[in-house]
């Protein structure tokens, strides 16, 4: 535990007074502008008891008005109200409000799903000065906080630990991060193991909308279209199946998942029982990605080309950050020879390209434990499309930023399409030990190992306002009955 004496005035660096949040309050003139004003969003149901304990500590140290429990108030409502009030104060000549808006930073405590929720809100609100976000790891994988130097172990919840974290937030640097839009189009299944698709069976970041162009082949009665977004990864295949088994077990027995180490142990055990260490014996070749889907990518010249996937690949990951499954980097760092031969680059989080990686089985995944280990590098692209037709299987498993689901596949002449494209950017706060790299500052931020080895075509519906919102303000509102403890 950090035993530094932060001094009696330390917390003034972060304190935001009540009148900033309350439009009925009169502006107080006796406040100095804090050096690092913050607002805090905490998923009190994350991390077992830790979320609730952390909420209590933050409210004791700061103004309770600047600490929000996501179980009580959605972030889109909280931020919209805050920024409306800031604009009101600024219009009345408040320099204090203007400085708060300019310096404001956000802390979000929860799993990757919770962090993605907040990032989606910030992105969709399209603020003139969007606040950068720091993440407190309260989930199982914690890929987002790990990618930006905030660790992956659950934090301490005492006042000293929180003060130490606040100090890091004050010193952290801003780094842009790409966001990715995903659109899924399919006919409603009439029968099968996935009938019907209950809304809560899909990730919270995927939600229905109905504004298809008249020329779209799927614009027919009975077709469903979902769109959403992600920050870290979209995956399909064996890893998503294990994740789905884990989440299903947690829904059935939530009392067994109160400890991060126990959760991780259960996850590893499920990886074994699902048979992915002997995939050739337990899983038919019909589960291989090449037989499940036709895959196309938009190359650097802006042309659609077929992506040839080796027949042995049973899992595919479209990765934005250098952290997957609790801290592994499936892409690694291509050598100079690989860069020249295959036109591959290092994985930057703000270059508008996503890394596509494949795995054969769980043993292949274990190569990530080696310093130079990586999966099968398939492509770097600004857009990728999966088309599923009748054939190999009646379902597969997919996952977005830790949220898995069981996806029905066509059983007749229908087509399921998953289209992923670059969307926008938001700012993260990067701490010391940040694993992510920016194309604006390509200097390695970690001890990187080198291994041995145009235009964007838009369909009509992709250019609509519906596409521009994927995670928040008007479109990403969690149903009131949603249990946010399942946002891993």
């Amino acid at each position: 535990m950090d035993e530094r004496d932060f001094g009696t005035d330390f917390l003034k660096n972060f304190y935001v007074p009540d009148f900033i949040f309350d439009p009925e309050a009169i502006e107080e003139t006796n406040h100095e502008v804090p050096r690092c004003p913050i607002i805090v969003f905490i998923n009190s149901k994350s991390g077992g008891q830790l979320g609730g304990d952390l909420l209590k500590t933050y409210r004791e140290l700061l103004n309770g008005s600047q600490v929000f429990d996501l179980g009580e108030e959605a972030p889109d409502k909280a931020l919209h109200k805050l920024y409306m009030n800031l604009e009101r104060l600024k219009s009345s000549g408040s320099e204090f409000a203007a400085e708060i808006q300019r310096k404001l930073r956000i802390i979000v405590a929860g799993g990757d799903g919770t962090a993605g929720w907040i990032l989606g809100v910030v992105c969709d609100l399209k603020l003139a000065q969007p606040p950068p976000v720091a993440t407190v790891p309260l989930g199982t994988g914690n890929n987002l906080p790990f990618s930006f130097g905030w660790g992956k172990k659950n934090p301490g919840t005492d006042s000293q630990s929180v003060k130490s974290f606040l100090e890091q937030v004050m010193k952290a640097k801003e780094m842009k991060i790409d966001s990715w839009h995903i659109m899924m189009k399919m006919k409603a299944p009439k029968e099968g193991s996935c009938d019907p698709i209950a809304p809560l069976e899909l990730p919270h970041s995927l939600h229905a909308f109905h504004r298809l162009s008249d020329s779209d082949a799927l614009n027919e009665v009975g077709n469903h279209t979902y769109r959403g977004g992600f920050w870290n990864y979209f995956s399909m295949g064996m890893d998503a199946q294990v994740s789905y088994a884990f989440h299903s077990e947690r829904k059935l027995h939530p009392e067994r998942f109160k400890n991060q180490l126990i959760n991780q142990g259960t996850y590893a055990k499920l990886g074994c029982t699902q048979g992915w260490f002997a995939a050739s014996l337990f899983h038919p070749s019909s589960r291989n990605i090449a037989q499940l889907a036709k895959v196309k990518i938009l190359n650097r010249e802006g042309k659609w080309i077929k992506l040839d996937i080796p027949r042995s690949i049973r899992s595919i990951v479209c990765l934005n950050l250098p952290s997957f499954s609790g801290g592994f980097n499936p892409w690694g760092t291509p050598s100079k020879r690989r860069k020249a031969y295959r036109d591959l680059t290092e994985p930057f989080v703000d270059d508008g390209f996503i890394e596509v990686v494949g795995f054969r089985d769980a043993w292949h995944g274990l190569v990530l434990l080696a310093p130079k280990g990586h999966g099968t590098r398939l492509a770097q692209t600004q857009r990728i499309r999966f088309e599923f037709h009748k054939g190999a299987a009646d379902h597969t498993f997919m996952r977005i930023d830790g949220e898995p689901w069981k996806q029905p596949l066509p059983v007749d002449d229908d087509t399921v399409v998953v289209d992923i494209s670059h969307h926008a950017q938001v700012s993260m706060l990067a701490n010391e030990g940040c694993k992510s790299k920016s194309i604006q500052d390509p200097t390695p931020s970690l001890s990187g190992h080198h291994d041995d080895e145009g235009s964007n075509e838009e369909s009509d519906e992709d250019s609509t306002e519906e596409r521009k919102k994927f995670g928040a303000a008007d479109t990403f509102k969690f149903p009131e009955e949603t249990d946010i403890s399942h946002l891993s």
Side-chain angles (χ1 to χ4, degrees), residues 312-348:
S312 60
I313 296 298
R314 291 182 172 86
S315 183
I316 194 168
V317 182
C318 300
L319 189 69
N320 188 42
L321 303 180
S323 181
F324 178 73
S325 289
F328 296 119
N329 182 359
W331 185 260
T333 306
S335 65
K336 292 182 179 179
R337 182 171 63 87
R338 296 284 184 182
K339 292 177 184 178
Y341 178 66
R342 295 186 57 195
D343 195 22
L344 301 178
T345 70
E346 295 184 40
F348 299 110

Side-chain angles (χ1 to χ4, degrees), residues 251-432:
K251 285 182 181 180
L252 290 174
H253 306 286
E255 71 281 357
R256 300 178 184 176
F257 296 82
K258 298 296 185 180
N259 179 277
Q260 186 184 40
L261 290 177
I262 293 177
N263 292 355
Q264 292 171 342
T266 302
Y267 204 101
K269 180 180 178 181
L270 287 171
C272 296
T273 59
Q274 292 287 322
W276 286 112
F277 281 95
S280 60
L281 297 177
F282 291 96
H283 297 279
S285 60
S286 60
R287 296 286 184 91
N288 297 6
I289 301 300
Q291 291 187 244
L292 284 176
K294 296 179 180 179
V295 186
K296 299 178 182 179
I297 62 171
L298 201 66
N299 65 14
R300 295 179 186 273
E301 289 73 41
K303 296 181 180 180
W304 284 104
I305 61 173
K306 178 184 177 182
L307 180 62
D308 292 319
I309 300 175
R311 295 180 63 84
S312 60
I313 296 298
R314 291 182 172 86
S315 183
I316 194 168
V317 182
C318 300
L319 189 69
N320 188 42
L321 303 180
S323 181
F324 178 73
S325 289
F328 296 119
N329 182 359
W331 185 260
T333 306
S335 65
K336 292 182 179 179
R337 182 171 63 87
R338 296 284 184 182
K339 292 177 184 178
Y341 178 66
R342 295 186 57 195
D343 195 22
L344 301 178
T345 70
E346 295 184 40
F348 299 110
V349 298
D350 56 351
D351 60 356
F353 286 87
I354 198 166
E355 283 68 45
V356 185
V357 188
F359 291 95
R360 297 185 299 273
D361 51 30
W363 291 111
H364 189 192
L366 290 180
V367 304
L368 299 180
L369 294 171
K372 299 179 182 180
H374 60 84
T376 300
R377 300 187 184 110
L378 299 173
Q380 284 178 306
T381 182
Q382 55 187 307
R383 192 167 181 182
I384 184 169
R385 177 177 292 165
F386 300 87
E387 294 182 1
F388 303 87
H389 301 275
K390 177 184 177 181
D394 63 356
H395 71 271
T396 188
F397 296 88
M398 299 181 181
R399 183 163 60 144
I400 295 177
D401 284 358
E403 292 192 82
W405 75 99
K406 188 177 183 179
Q407 174 61 43
L409 298 179
V411 294
D412 46 34
D413 294 331
D414 296 337
T415 301
V416 173
V417 177
V418 175
D419 188 284
I420 296 170
S421 57
H422 184 261
H423 176 70
Q425 290 185 331
V426 295
S427 292
M428 297 292 292
L429 285 172
N431 196 18
E432 291 184 10

Side-chain angles (χ1 to χ4, degrees), residues 147-309:
S147 295
F148 293 93
W150 301 106
K152 55 184 176 181
K153 294 183 178 179
N154 292 162
T157 60
D158 59 284
S159 61
Q160 194 76 6
S161 297
V162 169
K163 288 177 181 179
S164 178
F165 187 86
L166 289 173
E167 183 182 40
Q168 294 176 60
V169 169
M170 184 163 54
K171 295 178 179 179
K173 297 180 179 180
E174 293 189 33
M175 179 183 289
K176 293 291 185 182
I177 172 180
D178 291 323
S179 63
W180 293 85
H181 178 265
I182 180 169
M183 180 176 291
M184 183 169 68
K185 293 181 282 191
M186 63 181 176
K187 274 197 172 183
K190 298 177 182 178
E191 58 184 3
S193 59
C194 299
D195 176 38
I197 301 178
L200 293 182
E201 289 300 314
L202 288 173
H204 299 98
S205 55
L206 271 179
H207 34 285
F209 82 111
H210 307 286
R211 288 175 59 179
L212 292 178
S213 66
D214 294 335
S215 61
D216 195 302
L218 293 181
N219 191 12
E220 301 173 357
V221 175
N223 285 317
H224 289 186
T225 302
Y226 300 85
R227 57 97 178 95
F230 65 93
W231 308 92
N232 192 1
Y233 65 86
F234 164 85
S235 68
M236 177 175 64
M238 63 179 181
D239 68 286
Q241 181 176 347
V242 174
S243 180
Y244 183 81
F246 174 84
H247 281 254
S248 298
E249 187 74 12
R250 186 166 63 175
K251 285 182 181 180
L252 290 174
H253 306 286
E255 71 281 357
R256 300 178 184 176
F257 296 82
K258 298 296 185 180
N259 179 277
Q260 186 184 40
L261 290 177
I262 293 177
N263 292 355
Q264 292 171 342
T266 302
Y267 204 101
K269 180 180 178 181
L270 287 171
C272 296
T273 59
Q274 292 287 322
W276 286 112
F277 281 95
S280 60
L281 297 177
F282 291 96
H283 297 279
S285 60
S286 60
R287 296 286 184 91
N288 297 6
I289 301 300
Q291 291 187 244
L292 284 176
K294 296 179 180 179
V295 186
K296 299 178 182 179
I297 62 171
L298 201 66
N299 65 14
R300 295 179 186 273
E301 289 73 41
K303 296 181 180 180
W304 284 104
I305 61 173
K306 178 184 177 182
L307 180 62
D308 292 319
I309 300 175

